Amino acid sequence: MRLRTALVLFLLLCCLFTTLAQDADRVINKYAEFIGGKGRWKKVKTIVTTGQYDYGGIQFPFTAYAKSPSRYKFIVPQNGKQYVQGFDGERGWKMDGFKNETAPTLLTGKDARALANEADVELENPLINYRQKGHQAVWEGRDTLYGKSFFKVKFIRRSGESETCYFDEQNFVLVMKKAVSKNVEMAGALLDILYSDYRDVGGIRIPFKTVHESNGQMILTITIDKAVINDPIDDKEFQP
């Protein structure tokens, strides 16, 4: 009798975990469809974005270059000088012209991938085909933010880092994620990263506004003015 009861409980738990996994997959797959679909993202080889960074009222222009699968470069010019940070697929590097640096500094470990203020190094959205990339997703039900209900999914990267994602219940768009800051200056603070103003760019959708907050205080606002996909970019552009 006890064996039968234990078996029933085990089967119920298996069914529960399967259902939870399916819920997480359903939301993530719907989100992938919203941003253009897996097929269209596979065709995106480069993205170049230009816009403005706003640190508490101090604004800087930026240009960001991304090339599949994981090359990245970010430039902030100001008054004839510029800060540059990049990843060439293997090495991370930076050069701060505002500190009169004339040679790049190579980055190692997590610093090599924690580029451009919480940006993902990979060009393709990490939630697309996340299992094949070694990531995990855990369904956490629903939660209320700003008086509105959202689907809640914990996303665990293959590196072990995790973030909590909040998806709109109507169109499955990613509205916010909570994650520990990768920026050394933030000393491991928990960030609320809010995404809005999604626009179609060549068949894919990307958020043209991203706001970083910590403890209710706005830290950074990123506003994209222009985005271009699939313009050729030489690999040398990403080397230090």
Side-chain angles (χ1 to χ4, degrees):
M1 188 69 178
R2 289 180 180 177
L3 180 61
R4 177 183 292 182
T5 301
L7 180 60
V8 170
L9 288 173
F10 174 76
L11 292 174
L12 287 173
L13 287 173
C14 287
C15 290
L16 175 61
F17 291 142
T18 300
T19 301
L20 294 179
Q22 289 173 344
D23 284 340
D25 280 345
R26 182 178 72 90
V27 171
I28 290 174
N29 287 334
K30 288 289 187 181
Y31 165 66
E33 291 175 11
F34 175 86
I35 60 174
K38 299 175 182 179
R40 283 199 178 100
W41 273 94
K42 286 297 181 187
K43 297 177 181 178
V44 178
K45 302 305 179 183
T46 67
I47 300 178
V48 179
T49 55
T50 56
Q52 295 283 329
Y53 263 40
D54 187 329
Y55 285 99
I58 302 175
Q59 295 185 344
F60 300 93
F62 77 87
T63 301
Y65 304 86
K67 184 174 182 178
S68 178
S70 60
R71 292 178 174 85
Y72 192 90
K73 186 177 181 181
F74 172 82
I75 302 174
V76 175
Q78 190 80 352
N79 298 325
K81 296 183 178 182
Q82 63 181 20
Y83 174 87
V84 186
Q85 192 163 320
F87 186 78
D88 65 4
E90 296 180 357
R91 300 171 298 171
W93 57 275
K94 66 178 179 178
M95 186 165 63
D96 193 343
F98 300 112
K99 295 181 179 179
N100 297 317
E101 294 178 358
T102 57
T105 300
L106 294 181
L107 304 174
T108 58
K110 291 183 179 180
D111 290 340
R113 303 186 72 82
L115 302 179
N117 297 282
E118 321 304 328
D120 288 303
V121 173
E122 290 83 3
L123 179 144
E124 184 179 80
N125 189 296
L127 290 167
I128 292 178
N129 294 322
Y130 72 92
R131 291 184 188 276
Q132 291 92 317
K133 297 172 182 176
H135 308 313
Q136 302 176 52
V138 179
W139 175 252
E140 294 195 340
R142 290 176 167 84
D143 202 352
T144 301
L145 297 170
Y146 313 109
K148 187 176 180 180
S149 180
F150 292 91
F151 295 124
K152 185 177 178 182
V153 175
K154 185 176 182 180
F155 184 61
I156 306 169
R157 296 175 183 261
R158 61 179 179 269
S159 64
E161 298 172 323
S162 66
E163 53 208 48
T164 303
C165 302
Y166 296 81
F167 299 88
D168 189 291
E169 290 188 0
Q170 301 301 314
N171 58 11
F172 298 93
V173 64
L174 176 63
V175 175
M176 188 181 83
K177 72 177 182 183
K178 288 180 177 284
V180 174
S181 174
K182 301 173 185 175
N183 193 320
V184 176
E185 296 176 358
M186 292 292 293
L190 185 64
L191 285 179
D192 291 344
I193 307 174
L194 298 96
Y195 304 95
S196 61
D197 192 16
Y198 281 80
R199 300 185 193 178
D200 186 291
V201 181
I204 64 170
R205 286 194 181 105
I206 60 175
F208 269 56
K209 185 174 182 180
T210 305
V211 177
H212 296 66
E213 297 180 350
S214 182
N215 293 322
Q217 179 181 357
M218 193 278 287
I219 304 297
L220 168 68
T221 299
I222 304 171
T223 305
I224 295 175
D225 298 324
K226 184 179 179 181
V228 178
I229 66 170
N230 288 335
D231 270 6
I233 306 176
D234 195 297
D235 288 350
K236 294 180 180 179
E237 185 71 35
F238 304 95
Q239 296 175 358

